[in-house]
Amino acid sequence: MEIRDLGTFLEYWESVFARTTRLLRVLPPEHIEWTHAEGRWTIGDIARHLVNIERDMYAETVAGRPSRYAGHGRSYADGYEAVMAFRAARHAESMAIFALLTPERLAGKSVTPAGTPITTWKWLRAMGEHEAHHRGQLYLMLGMLGVRTPPIYGLTEEEVAARAHRAVTD
């Protein structure tokens, strides 16, 4: 998928962020710092990481500046409500930066933290893959906690299969 139209990308990215936020909203607040094993990232760590990477790495680099990503610890936001507010604020900052991208900038190069030049629209596409990777972790962690999670696109796998079965038998 090549990103040619900034407005389309901004709508897409808002929907990606909203899907992750919708997932975090079903988390019982007392589990924000839960992890499945000692020394592993907590749910809060992942939530903070996603917006810090979005803002301090992706938004900075597509604006032509070096990454300033410095981590995801509780010092950024501690507690469920603080994490959710932090996510909203950081995401808004990122969207303001993304909204300034020109067609030339989208087609031009950004430099990754590793120093590798990459076409800006491809770097933004990688941001979506990164978000999906961590959202998958969140689904798994919530499942381990026994939390019922929302389907990502409106139907559960079972509902999709049932509809397909009905369509074949009708």
Side-chain angles (χ1 to χ4, degrees):
M1 160 191 89
E2 182 174 347
I3 301 168
R4 294 180 188 211
D5 176 70
L6 182 61
T8 301
F9 167 73
L10 294 174
E11 286 178 29
Y12 160 76
W13 190 244
E14 282 291 359
S15 71
V16 169
F17 181 81
R19 284 191 293 276
T20 302
T21 300
R22 190 168 42 253
L23 181 60
L24 288 167
R25 287 210 168 113
V26 302
L27 173 70
E30 66 271 15
H31 292 301
I32 190 68
E33 297 304 335
W34 180 86
T35 185
H36 63 284
E38 185 67 32
R40 304 303 244 167
W41 285 16
T42 68
I43 293 170
D45 288 335
I46 295 170
R48 289 182 293 265
H49 168 74
L50 285 171
V51 294
N52 279 349
I53 280 286
E54 174 192 32
R55 173 60 186 86
D56 291 338
M57 188 182 78
Y58 286 103
E60 287 299 304
T61 56
V62 301
R65 299 182 292 264
S67 171
R68 51 181 217 190
Y69 176 76
H72 59 263
R74 291 171 91 166
S75 61
Y76 290 100
D78 193 11
Y80 180 82
E81 292 302 326
V83 168
M84 297 305 281
F86 180 71
R87 282 180 47 77
R90 298 290 289 187
H91 176 68
E93 291 173 15
S94 299
M95 291 300 286
I97 292 169
F98 297 148
L100 298 175
L101 293 172
T102 63
E104 295 77 25
R105 187 76 189 126
L106 280 171
K109 297 288 184 181
S110 291
V111 179
T112 70
T116 306
I118 184 172
T119 303
T120 298
W121 68 261
K122 290 180 181 179
W123 189 227
L124 290 170
R125 183 178 62 188
M127 181 173 66
E129 293 176 22
H130 176 259
E131 182 94 5
H133 159 74
H134 286 296
R135 190 182 316 122
Q137 289 178 306
L138 291 170
Y139 269 100
L140 180 61
M141 293 170 83
L142 290 171
M144 292 171 79
L145 286 169
V147 175
R148 184 180 168 114
T149 56
I152 192 165
Y153 296 117
L155 296 175
T156 65
E157 184 269 342
E158 295 83 6
E159 291 167 332
V160 171
R163 287 176 185 220
H165 177 72
R166 281 194 304 271
V168 171
T169 58
D170 287 345

